[in-house]
Amino acid sequence: MMEFIPMGAILTVLTSQVMKTAQAAKDVIFEKESFKVLSEHLFDIERVLTELQLQNINDSQATRQALEFLEADVKRANNLVEKYKNRAPFYLLVKCRHIVKEVQDVTREIGRSLAALSLANVEVLSGISEQVNRLQNEMQSAEFEASQNRVQIVDKLNQGLTDQKLDHGFANDILKEIAKAVGVPVEPSEISKELASFRREKEEAADRKEKAEVFFLEQVIELLSQADAARDYEEIKKQYFQRLQFIERLDPREEYIQPYKAFICCITGNVMNDPVSLCTGTACERTALEARFERGEKTDPETGALLEDFSYRSNIQVRQSIQEWKELNYCLKIRSCNAKLLSGQDPSVEEALNQMQELMIENSINKDWISIGGLTDMVVLILGRTNNRGVKEKLLITLKDIVEGNPRNKDKVVESQGFDHVIPCLGADSSLSKAAVELLYELLQNRPGWDASVCRKFLQQRSTIHALVTLLKTPVTETAEKAEEILMKLCDEDENIVHAAEAEWYKPLIDRIIQGSKSSRISMVRALVSMELGEQHIQLLGEAGIIPPLLEMASGNFESKELSLSALLKLSGCHENKRLIADAGGVPMLLELMFSFHLSTIIIAKSSEVLEKLTSNGDGTKFFVDGTAKQLELEPIITNLLAFQQNPHWSYTVRRPALLTLLGICQSEAGLVKTAVLTSNGGSLILPLLDDSDLVIRETALSLLFLFSQHEPEGVVEYLLRPRRLEALVGFLENSKNSDVQMAAAGLLANLPKSVESLTKKLIEMDGLRAIVDILRTGTMGAKENALSALFRFADPTNLESQRKVVELGAYPLLVDFLESGSVTSKARAAALIGNLSMSTLKLTIRTTKEVGCWFFRRARDRLCSAHGGTCSVATTFCMLEAKALPKLVNLLQEKVHATTYEVIQALSTLVREEPPHRGANVLHQAKAIQPILEVLTWGTVSLKEEALRLLAKVFRSREMVDCYGAEARLALVYLAENYINEGGHLQINVAIVLSLIERYSRSSRSLVVGQSR
């Protein structure tokens, strides 16, 4: 029929079959190297067939026949792939030689068919003839070999079958080797599957009448069935109790049955493992006999007689007897272990555990027999009772050996409440934690995966996840890795992810939020929002990449928006997370949500709160950038934020964060305050908020007005003079619980025009001045600085009554204290205020002197002020000297700080008169103030030097001061005159004035004694 099919159709179908078989062969796992070579060759053939289609293949009988052969060979290859790709691993291993031979044969057949096709199309394939020739030659000469390791196992298996090694010792060994080679756990459930597959293969071989194959598989099944892992549990129990019945007749103290002489190898002197018999009947260990013969010895090892026949065979009967003897000793040891565990003595318990481990190493059946004998339950019980850490560790290690590869024992440990005793060990020292986590790992495994039911029971312990999370921080890497692997499995469930996060392990939660399904992400974010998080963990979440998916969720439905914004609000308290939100382009999105008035109030409020956090802690507009780090246009943002306050329908949940955001923006940049005040008419919009029902809004409005009052104070004064407004401001001054509010209220007063006497008077009447003085006592430094500025209104030298009130309220000593312990700003302001008060002292002193009468007739107890010449006090004349301020002012001069020095010089100037008597100059001299004033001429700014010169111009009207300081002053003044000749202005004039005074008074008559008044 093929001759009637078009050549193009034949090639198309064949190409498809080749590709299909090539791909299938590529995916075969067992003996994959052989199948991989076959796959590569088939892919190369596909390119040859494609070339034939492109070049118009010869439609000849030879070509059609070659294609027919090639199609049949490819089909045979495909059948081979299908035959072995899903077979059981054990079967594939024992047939590995046969499989490789089949792959080799089909590869060669395909190569021969390709050669025939190439020969029929020489001209057509001329362009790729070299490649085609190489391909067909490689395929026809293909040599495939099975894995050397697998071949050795198969040889050992075949030798065992030949030697009739049907005992369970050999069966255990060969089973373990096969299982390891193919990656199958030596567990009854898995081994049962493999034996079932052998039985199916045997039945299929019987159907095909393949007697040799059936016989071979029967032998394999019979041998492997002897292995412990392949035996039925009921049979294992039956065998144990049979052995136990025998040893119960022995002395209870008996721990070991001596071997019979027949069990001892006459060559090695040890009990035989693989006994064989010579034709003489002598029994020996197989390996020992083979080694003897290899050395050239030709005598019977027992009798010494010369051997004529060197053949030997397995001694199955002796092997079985030895096995029975070993099993009896196993039972004796188990009985002995039972007694030692029951003793409760730590040394005996440790000895029993060592024996149990030896038993399990010697034969895996002992894992079952130990449990059948009740030892597993006892070990679990002792684990919960003992306080000996060394014993605990050994108990955990022994339990791990008992359950490893044995599902029945795992169930027994779990049913014995093993988790109750294992979990507390996780929080102990490193070695104990390591043993505990390794046992847990084994209990939770159900190879090749995890045992879901055991995991659920494990999680019933409330402290489970927290204990494992603690282990992640252990320095023992292996322990931490095992703990994390267990946690990752447990965190397949959302509930456990939340528990892990509550225990401060966030990896699964972050992974789920980043990569999870929509519903899972919602669930995780909801949990995150409800958690109490420390700053360190908030930063950790941001660093782990949680912010971009949260911003993405903010564009979803209402629930997604609300939860993601709530989470962002929680995270935005950390400075680093603010940067991450900005870098991800979050700020423009948040602004869009905030100003989308059609959205729910909750969404707008949440967006506002996040933006408020971004501007808090002095960050201001730092993070108001787009995704490319470009600064956003701020004027429209300020306008929109102010607009929120105009709409009475917005609740305080929206207006409050909007106002706080505006405050944060304005606090960060003075230019933005001007924008808010002048461009957006911010002052008039904020003033009414001082009457708002919400305290936070009132306080925030006050802070904004403090900033705005620097640009638009008049409107604020007019507002405050209205009924009940000033009482509210005084209330803010008295609010010691909120230092920011106090600072803003005091700052607002400081910024208002001091010329409005009605405002000053009302403030005094309403105890506003008292509140300011109280701030000086107990406020923060920022509030104190503003309170000092506000105090200038009341310390005006033109208003003696106001000054007197300041002193009566105890402000003077506070000002003196600031000179010593305040900030630079507070020191400077305190010095200026003392100067203001001191300006009134002379006037008040003169009045006091007149009231007393002529000073010649003053009372003996009255002491004259050395500076003012009358009776002074802090309370009546505001005297700087009586207030003990002078030494501290001089100390400030010596600190050489421009801001404070300027105010100190002005304050000291109030002590010195230009006309005689020159008491003030003498006072400054005695206080050692003049020397640091002269030094100002060398280090001060121009304005500071001018102020110092003005004071010196008053000082050097005294001959005594010229005599003391004239020479030094002249040098400094000459230097100033020469070096500041281009400055001109007041500096040169003041230098000339002081120099002329020095010249005038230095030529006068000799001075009086310093200290006497003239």
Side-chain angles (χ1 to χ4, degrees), residues 299-559:
T299 58
D300 185 304
E302 187 172 35
T303 64
L306 189 65
L307 291 172
E308 296 180 1
D309 184 354
F310 295 94
S311 64
Y312 54 88
R313 58 181 177 76
S314 295
N315 193 326
I316 297 172
Q317 185 177 356
V318 172
R319 189 201 306 271
Q320 290 174 344
S321 297
I322 291 173
Q323 185 60 37
E324 289 176 7
W325 167 78
K326 287 181 178 179
E327 289 174 358
L328 289 172
N329 276 314
Y330 296 158
C331 288
L332 276 174
K333 278 189 178 181
I334 290 171
R335 185 178 71 174
S336 171
C337 290
N338 190 307
K340 290 169 184 173
L341 293 175
L342 283 172
S343 72
Q345 301 298 314
D346 288 344
S348 296
V349 170
E350 289 194 72
E351 187 179 348
L353 295 173
N354 288 333
Q355 287 183 327
M356 289 166 66
Q357 288 176 340
E358 290 170 4
L359 283 167
M360 289 183 281
I361 291 170
E362 192 166 347
N363 195 316
S364 60
I365 197 173
N366 286 323
K367 291 189 177 188
D368 281 311
W369 283 11
I370 281 171
S371 285
I372 294 168
L375 300 190
T376 301
D377 292 335
M378 293 174 69
V379 169
V380 172
L381 192 63
I382 296 169
L383 179 63
R385 290 179 176 175
T386 184
N387 293 318
N388 185 314
R389 286 183 177 271
V391 172
K392 268 187 184 291
E393 183 180 352
K394 206 163 196 65
L395 288 163
L396 291 167
I397 293 169
T398 304
L399 280 173
K400 175 182 174 288
D401 292 339
I402 290 171
V403 303
E404 189 172 17
N406 194 305
R408 288 184 294 271
N409 286 349
K410 289 181 185 179
D411 293 341
K412 183 173 285 292
V413 171
V414 172
E415 290 164 6
S416 301
Q417 281 73 52
F419 288 140
D420 292 351
H421 307 313
V422 177
I423 292 171
C425 298
L426 294 173
D429 60 62
S430 58
S431 60
L432 197 58
S433 296
K434 181 176 183 291
V437 81
E438 287 181 351
L439 171 58
L440 286 175
Y441 186 84
E442 198 61 46
L443 287 169
L444 298 172
Q445 287 285 315
N446 183 15
R447 291 180 179 84
W450 296 80
D451 192 319
S453 64
V454 176
C455 286
R456 284 192 293 272
K457 291 177 183 177
F458 179 53
L459 287 166
Q460 291 173 2
Q461 302 293 317
R462 295 178 61 84
S463 60
T464 295
I465 289 179
H466 188 276
L468 287 169
V469 169
T470 303
L471 282 184
L472 297 178
K473 302 170 187 175
T474 181
V476 182
T477 304
E478 186 181 350
T479 302
E481 288 175 353
K482 276 280 196 298
E484 182 171 356
E485 194 173 345
I486 294 172
L487 280 167
M488 289 303 292
K489 169 57 189 172
L490 299 178
C491 286
D492 285 346
E493 302 293 333
D494 286 358
E495 180 184 0
N496 298 331
I497 293 177
V498 174
H499 291 326
E502 289 170 345
E504 300 180 357
W505 186 54
Y506 304 103
K507 184 178 184 298
L509 179 120
I510 294 168
D511 290 346
R512 193 63 61 90
I513 290 175
I514 293 173
Q515 303 173 358
S517 65
K518 182 178 178 181
S519 61
S520 183
R521 293 171 77 183
I522 290 286
S523 174
M524 292 300 100
V525 175
R526 181 179 287 107
L528 175 63
V529 169
S530 66
M531 289 177 194
E532 292 292 331
L533 299 172
E535 185 174 347
Q536 178 185 356
H537 300 114
I538 288 174
Q539 183 173 343
L540 186 152
L541 286 165
E543 291 172 352
I546 200 174
I547 286 173
L550 288 175
L551 290 171
E552 180 189 336
M553 289 176 68
S555 62
N557 60 22
F558 173 79
E559 182 183 28

Side-chain angles (χ1 to χ4, degrees), residues 790-809:
L791 202 59
F792 281 102
R793 170 183 299 283
F794 306 97
D796 186 349
T798 64
N799 191 335
L800 284 174
E801 290 305 316
S802 176
Q803 282 190 325
R804 199 178 305 282
K805 194 68 178 175
V806 169
V807 175
E808 287 175 359
L809 290 171

